[in-house]
Amino acid sequence: MLEEVVISTSEFLILGDFNFHIDDKNDIHTKQFLDIIELFNCKQLVTQATHVYGHILDLVIVRDDLEDSFLNDLCVVDHAISDRSVINFCLNLTKPPRRKKVIVIDFKSYV
């Protein structure tokens, strides 16, 4: 998937529950994962624990060179509703211009 996404010049965002301890640098799976995203010039932005047991399981990944251009104010907030924290961030995206479409119906041809 990363091979397809990184060749694009547009922003992309990968996020979700990756279900392994990204903060455990001694874990072989964590090391492999971090090596892969670095190889594809990506960056994992969550640095605080997102799980009640103190691990980072939920990730936000962007292209390293576009991080500051469209995503900011990332923070992890514990709402004590779940065993997971909430990840809040702002996306600086512009709404595309509204497209106008004119439809002309010739009612004479229906008579």
Side-chain angles (χ1 to χ4, degrees), residues 48-102:
Q48 291 177 249
T50 61
H51 190 259
V52 70
Y53 293 121
H55 292 288
I56 300 172
L57 302 176
D58 305 283
L59 310 179
V60 175
I61 300 167
V62 296
R63 280 195 11 207
D64 196 16
D65 57 338
L66 293 177
E67 171 194 353
D68 297 328
S69 68
F70 81 106
L71 188 146
N72 57 22
D73 298 330
L74 186 138
C75 65
V76 176
V77 180
D78 181 10
H79 284 290
I81 298 172
S82 169
D83 64 341
R84 300 292 175 94
S85 297
V86 174
I87 301 172
N88 289 327
F89 54 86
C90 293
L91 291 176
N92 299 322
L93 302 175
T94 57
K95 185 176 178 180
R98 187 172 169 184
R99 292 180 19 198
K100 285 186 175 182
K101 186 173 184 180
V102 177

